[in-house]
Amino acid sequence: MNPSRRILIVGGVAGGASAAARLRRLDEHAEIVLFERGEHISYANCGLPYYIGGEITEKAALSLQTPEAFRKRYRIDVRVGHEVVSIFTGSKTVLVRNVQTGETLSERYDKLILSPGAEPIRPVGFNSERIFTLRNIPDTFRIRDFIDATKPNTAVVVGGGYIGLERAENLQRLGIETTIVQRSDHVLPPLDFDMACDVHRHLESQGVRLLLNNEVRRVTEKDGTLNVSLKNGELTADMMILSVGVQPDSKLAKDAGLTVDERGCIVVSKNMQTSDPDVYAVGDAVAIVDFVTKRKGFIPLAGPANKQGRVAADHLCGIDSTYTGTQGSAILRVFDMTVATTGVNEQAAKAAGIDYEKSFTWSTSHAGYYPGATNLSIKILFEKPSGKILGAQIVGFDGVDKRCDVLATAIRGGMTVFDLAKLELCYAPPYSSAKDPVNMAGFAAENILTGKVGVFHWHDVDTLKKDDGNVFVDVRTKIEFDNGHIDGFVNIPLDDLRGRLGELDTSKRIFVTCQIGVRGYAAARILSQHGFDVRNLSGGYRLHHSIFGPKTPARSKSFPKPVSVTDSTNTETKTVKVDACGLQCPGPIMKLAAAVNGANSGDIVEISTTDPAFASDIEGFCRRTGNVLIETTSQRGTTVAKIRKGTISGATETPPTGSSETHGKNFIVFSGDLDKAIAAFIMANASAALGRKTSIFFTFWGLNILRKPDGGPVEKDFLGKMFGWMMPKGSTRLPLSKMNWGGLGATMIRMIMKRKNIASLEELIESAKSHGVELVACSMSMDVMGIKQEELIDGVKIGGAAAMLAHAEESDMSLFI
Ligand code: FAD
């Protein structure tokens, strides 16, 4: 090696630091100088959001290497606080500025490596001390210090990409109510919309507010509050984090005359050389080839940056290493959910003109009979007719990473879905199934490509329904069908299908569905072998429901408190554990019912389930069956509920649901007048204080009592908007039924009540909620009046006439107000 060789590196984090370390390992004699304009080198960018959220507690943990340690280990001249401001390729020198003193110095190089990274995009006009971007350690401390000092209650994260979601999760974990504003129809752009729907539901269930198809237009600050104007609506927040993407930090390269593309990315060869062969560039600042489509793009990720640093160092030391492209493998934790992607999504496949097909599978993370199995939703894209795997997207709670890594390896190896079906992967019940979810994805895709089954997709359903020549059959059990189905489908359970073939017209095309696609496939095989032209819905009802079903309610922050239950006839109570993980609705409820039936009064039934709907079903189940819900906890996609068989006695808390008594009081509030609302809530509070199970059903004008006065933007049709404008927005704006005098009467009543120390309507509502009064908004009236759930105050359930009648049956009094 040439002892006088001088190699300069610009940027001391992912690409720069790995290039420096590799260089030293290959060339003990070269002089290596690393310039970093910040104070830190080799820090954990990817860990920064978790420091804000408090999961990483040590500041020092964010720096993987100190300049001193790096210097000592690798004998590299690390100069932090030094910014390279110009490159002169002719004289092979750079101009370096000492950030603290402003002093500049010219430095000679034989070879130069650039790894300046990417910088966050900051839209013009977004200037306030309450608005942040996050790129490095100082940004992180700034955000954390602001939160510690001002204790914000609300935050807006602009942008729903990977980093935006990490930030939102970490803010929400700190108890800051967080809203994500996302321009497109789904979060996480590498995912397709259909796979993002489960993520939307999960975010919302964790209390994050999601505004899709929306964008922030303008922000102003007044009295410590940010007023945010959106494309649709407005909102206020105590702080904002901008996460609208990054752009290559390539000005230095461009000014030096190195070739950059239209996006500003530095153009490099497969050896990472720029247009000047003595200058290399790596990491987020370079244009990189997409491994699948072979198109050049901008894919800023840590893994590629590190690998490119290694390739540049190799090449500079005479090793012919090449960088063969990035496939965008990425993974993210969204609270306890995991989302991973590799390869291309549908948008990229279409843009590249690839003829592809897709399949959706839903498998358990390990053997369903072994405790703790949770579900994985896998989508793969594959080329037609070769079956070459193009991309994979996985959403689940356990084992997502290893499945996506297997698929990433398969893509890198140029494998096909036929190969996936053959892969022999590790199996024992706690880890996987004899047919791993990756094998299952391969089987499903192979069946499509070999013509064993034709498929249709969730987005085809509406179009197909318009054709009279099509028949739609749901082959799930009757109980599943009754629990929810796609409009227009008739129910013929799979086990009855052979006996009921005569009901189907052979001249028509049959479109079948089941819960996840497996029974639909079996049905399709039966039907096609009896001469029917048949297609199976890929992903089944579950996927369709995830996309089109009603929103998942936010998980209650406080679960019902334990109540004391005694049963003098059963002195030896036992706990019966039921594992319903991996079962779909109504499987868990049916298993629970069987266990409760078999238990003695006073016994506890503890059920674990991975069915996302279970947490909301269990309360109704207990209420209807007169059992007591002791507690519900959720973690990593598994809900555990404890139910005591029997009725309550000596309960010190508000009487919970589950009481089979019929002394409840049922109020139906039709009116939106202030005086009538006050009367209703006074009576409801009194009833709750007497220990009576109390519910108020709000219908038509009564719904206005429940509207949030400062509800954020909600998408509505024209009529919905008209109604929204004309009706009073919340309890504080209600008129009096008589002597309203343009609102003066209502103000006077409020003043008189205050003077006489009578609780205001708002206090009465809060008191009713805290005493367990159930507030139910009529779903039909909401629909008619264009009122959305997001517009209602917290703690309101949505119900129909059946819910009101159920309350009436449990009550000895119903009042219509
Ligand atoms: P960087 O690591 O950004 O380093 C560039 C360095 O160059 C900077 O320190 C900068 O100060 C310095 N510099 C720039 N210009 C000059 C100059 N003229 N003179 C001197 N110094 C200069 N990727 C993942 O794969 N997974 C993740 O989970 C993940 N999470 C992330 C979370 C956050 C909050 C952020 C910001 C990024 C995350 N990334 C993640 C992206 C990942 O960090 C980047 O892809 C990677 O760091 C890029 O490496 P790089 O060397 O190109 O640039």
Side-chain angles (χ1 to χ4, degrees):
M1 291 287 170
N2 180 357
S4 65
R5 194 157 77 140
R6 200 160 196 261
I7 303 165
L8 306 188
I9 300 173
V10 181
V13 191
S18 53
R22 176 77 172 169
L23 270 174
R24 174 55 76 224
R25 285 190 284 261
L26 294 176
D27 185 350
E28 180 61 15
H29 305 289
E31 185 188 352
I32 305 170
V33 187
L34 187 150
F35 297 104
E36 167 55 57
R37 68 177 162 209
E39 292 166 39
H40 306 270
I41 59 155
S42 202
Y43 56 82
N45 306 36
C46 313
L48 303 180
Y50 301 97
Y51 178 82
I52 294 173
E55 276 184 274
I56 299 175
T57 50
E58 296 290 321
K59 284 187 177 181
L62 295 173
S63 297
L64 305 178
Q65 272 281 3
T66 61
E68 295 71 37
F70 207 56
R71 210 171 278 141
K72 203 165 172 199
R73 170 72 48 90
Y74 296 105
R75 208 167 43 78
I76 287 168
D77 182 358
V78 179
R79 301 198 204 160
V80 289
H82 282 77
E83 182 177 16
V84 174
V85 288
S86 307
I87 303 170
F88 304 100
T89 51
S91 58
K92 292 178 84 169
T93 54
V94 296
L95 193 64
V96 185
R97 187 176 67 92
N98 182 319
V99 173
Q100 264 190 342
T101 62
E103 200 183 324
T104 53
L105 207 71
S106 176
E107 296 278 354
R108 178 188 70 78
Y109 67 81
D110 293 308
K111 300 283 176 187
L112 178 66
I113 301 180
L114 306 177
S115 188
E119 54 190 348
I121 296 170
R122 193 175 183 118
V124 182
F126 284 59
N127 303 316
S128 154
E129 288 184 350
R130 294 176 174 271
I131 303 179
F132 302 89
T133 53
L134 175 59
R135 177 183 185 183
N136 50 30
I137 292 184
D139 293 341
T140 311
F141 294 160
R142 239 189 319 277
I143 296 173
R144 188 63 223 221
D145 290 348
F146 173 84
I147 291 171
D148 290 342
T150 66
K151 308 262 180 303
N153 292 316
T154 50
V156 180
V157 172
V158 188
Y162 275 84
I163 296 175
L165 258 57
E166 280 181 353
R167 290 167 198 180
E169 171 184 341
N170 280 289
L171 293 173
Q172 190 79 13
R173 276 179 189 277
L174 290 174
I176 302 170
E177 276 181 35
T178 304
T179 302
I180 299 175
V181 182
Q182 166 73 343
R183 186 178 277 158
S184 68
D185 63 358
H186 68 283
V187 297
L188 300 174
L191 283 186
D192 289 316
F193 168 76
D194 41 27
M195 293 298 283
C197 288
D198 279 330
V199 184
H200 296 163
R201 288 173 177 279
H202 195 60
L203 281 167
E204 286 174 335
S205 78
Q206 301 295 323
V208 175
R209 188 163 166 226
L210 209 50
L211 300 179
L212 300 170
N213 297 309
N214 211 334
E215 61 187 58
V216 174
R217 291 271 165 92
R218 208 164 61 94
V219 188
T220 53
E221 187 184 340
K222 195 173 174 210
D223 304 330
T225 299
L226 296 174
N227 295 305
V228 186
S229 300
L230 304 167
K231 186 176 100 186
N232 299 316
E234 292 183 347
L235 51 86
T236 57
D238 298 328
M239 66 182 289
M240 172 182 280
I241 299 196
L242 292 171
S243 192
V244 293
V246 291
Q247 59 198 10
D249 195 345
S250 58
K251 185 171 179 305
L252 183 67
K254 203 173 162 189
D255 290 350
L258 301 173
T259 308
V260 297
D261 68 12
E262 63 290 348
R263 233 194 127 140
C265 298
I266 307 170
V267 175
V268 288
S269 69
K270 60 186 185 338
N271 307 114
M272 310 310 300
Q273 279 168 300
T274 65
S275 50
D276 179 333
D278 291 323
V279 182
Y280 291 74
V282 302
D284 287 356
V286 307
I288 216 64
V289 169
D290 179 285
F291 180 76
V292 176
T293 62
K294 307 297 176 214
R295 296 173 143 211
K296 283 231 170 183
F298 175 56
I299 311 171
L301 285 168
N306 276 279
K307 290 178 192 91
Q308 291 159 21
R310 185 183 164 95
V311 169
D314 278 1
H315 192 256
L316 217 149
C317 292
I319 302 170
D320 189 22
S321 287
T322 54
Y323 189 75
T324 52
T326 294
Q327 61 191 81
S329 300
I331 189 157
L332 172 76
R333 192 192 70 189
V334 184
F335 296 90
D336 49 359
M337 176 181 257
T338 305
V339 183
T341 55
T342 184
V344 294
N345 60 13
E346 288 199 55
Q347 193 187 4
K350 277 182 194 141
I354 303 174
D355 188 13
Y356 70 92
E357 181 52 282
K358 60 196 171 202
S359 77
F360 299 90
T361 45
W362 175 255
S363 316
T364 50
S365 55
H366 59 249
Y369 59 81
Y370 185 84
T374 58
N375 291 303
L376 301 172
S377 174
I378 302 185
K379 173 177 184 175
I380 56 171
L381 262 58
F382 45 95
E383 191 180 54
K384 287 196 295 189
S386 71
K388 189 172 167 194
I389 308 154
L390 303 168
Q393 301 166 37
I394 312 187
V395 178
F397 294 91
D398 191 26
V400 171
D401 49 348
K402 75 167 173 168
R403 273 55 186 234
C404 200
D405 282 345
V406 170
L407 288 159
T409 311
I411 291 174
R412 196 44 75 154
M415 289 165 68
T416 65
V417 295
F418 307 105
D419 297 317
L420 287 189
K422 290 185 203 126
L423 282 184
E424 187 180 308
L425 301 168
C426 299
Y427 160 62
Y431 302 101
S432 181
S433 300
K435 292 178 199 162
D436 187 87
V438 172
N439 295 133
M440 294 301 291
F443 297 149
E446 185 186 72
N447 286 335
I448 297 170
L449 282 180
T450 55
K452 293 198 179 51
V453 65
V455 286
F456 66 112
H457 293 288
W458 58 270
H459 46 77
D460 300 325
V461 174
D462 280 349
T463 321
L464 292 168
K465 279 201 291 200
K466 291 184 186 133
D467 185 339
D468 286 346
N470 298 332
V471 171
F472 299 90
V473 181
D474 185 328
V475 298
R476 294 175 300 160
T477 58
K478 181 169 183 317
I479 191 164
E480 286 170 284
F481 183 81
D482 288 346
N483 221 31
H485 57 263
I486 307 171
D487 281 351
F489 276 73
V490 294
N491 184 216
I492 305 182
L494 177 62
D495 294 343
D496 301 347
L497 186 61
R498 288 187 184 85
R500 293 176 60 181
L501 289 177
E503 293 174 30
L504 299 170
D505 182 347
T506 39
S507 69
K508 296 198 166 178
R509 267 188 306 172
I510 315 288
F511 291 86
V512 290
T513 189
C514 63
Q515 184 68 14
I516 58 173
V518 176
R519 281 173 286 171
Y521 167 58
R525 293 298 303 150
I526 294 171
L527 290 167
S528 61
Q529 292 178 67
H530 281 89
F532 288 93
D533 180 4
V534 55
R535 306 271 186 287
N536 181 29
L537 178 61
S538 188
Y541 173 76
R542 192 212 75 84
L543 180 68
H544 191 275
H545 184 74
S546 158
I547 297 164
F548 297 109
K551 275 188 172 187
T552 316
R555 195 173 68 195
S556 151
K557 281 184 189 140
S558 54
F559 290 111
K561 293 203 180 127
V563 290
S564 82
V565 179
T566 53
D567 180 5
S568 53
T569 59
N570 184 8
T571 48
E572 285 182 15
T573 57
K574 60 178 192 300
T575 298
V576 182
K577 292 205 173 190
V578 181
D579 182 9
C581 289
L583 292 183
Q584 300 304 316
C585 176
I589 282 289
M590 287 163 77
K591 253 190 140 173
L592 174 65
V596 170
N597 283 343
N600 292 317
S601 186
D603 286 350
I604 289 178
V605 178
E606 184 182 310
I607 180 165
S608 313
T609 165
T610 47
D611 173 13
F614 187 79
S616 43
D617 287 353
I618 181 81
E619 214 190 311
F621 170 85
C622 287
R623 208 171 89 207
R624 276 190 289 108
T625 54
N627 295 291
V628 180
L629 176 59
I630 298 175
E631 64 171 4
T632 319
T633 52
S634 270
Q635 217 191 2
R636 290 175 64 82
T638 302
T639 300
V640 179
K642 281 189 189 164
I643 296 108
R644 192 184 289 271
K645 179 163 176 167
T647 50
I648 317 143
S649 74
T652 49
E653 302 295 333
T654 305
T657 55
S659 167
S660 60
E661 295 174 36
T662 52
H663 298 308
K665 307 289 173 227
N666 183 34
F667 298 84
I668 302 144
V669 178
F670 175 85
S671 163
D673 294 334
L674 176 66
D675 37 358
K676 291 176 187 164
I678 293 171
F681 272 96
I682 287 177
M683 285 186 278
N685 272 296
S687 159
L690 289 174
R692 300 288 182 257
K693 184 171 174 305
T694 309
S695 59
I696 315 182
F697 184 78
F698 296 84
T699 184
F700 280 92
W701 315 117
L703 288 169
N704 291 327
I705 303 168
L706 301 180
R707 293 178 74 196
K708 283 183 197 156
D710 56 351
V714 178
E715 270 189 46
K716 292 187 178 194
D717 59 18
F718 176 71
L719 280 175
K721 278 188 189 149
M722 291 292 286
F723 259 116
W725 287 327
M726 289 184 316
M727 294 185 307
K729 211 173 174 190
S731 58
T732 51
R733 313 231 173 107
L734 300 179
L736 273 186
S737 63
K738 295 213 164 40
M739 300 194 306
N740 189 46
W741 299 324
L744 195 63
T747 311
M748 276 170 60
I749 283 280
R750 284 181 178 274
M751 277 168 55
I752 294 166
M753 284 171 70
K754 194 169 178 191
R755 204 174 300 147
K756 295 189 181 284
N757 231 359
I758 301 171
S760 68
L761 176 57
E762 292 68 44
E763 288 164 337
L764 288 167
I765 294 173
E766 282 310 310
S767 162
K769 284 200 295 189
S770 69
H771 284 92
V773 174
E774 205 171 341
L775 307 182
V776 184
C778 172
S779 53
M780 184 278 296
S781 310
M782 284 175 69
D783 197 27
V784 170
M785 300 168 83
I787 295 179
K788 302 278 166 47
Q789 187 170 3
E790 306 90 284
E791 289 180 79
L792 302 183
I793 56 173
D794 292 340
V796 175
K797 292 183 179 174
I798 310 297
M804 187 274 289
L805 289 171
H807 285 301
E809 280 175 13
E810 289 165 3
S811 305
D812 58 5
M813 183 199 88
S814 286
L815 264 184
F816 188 89
I817 298 170

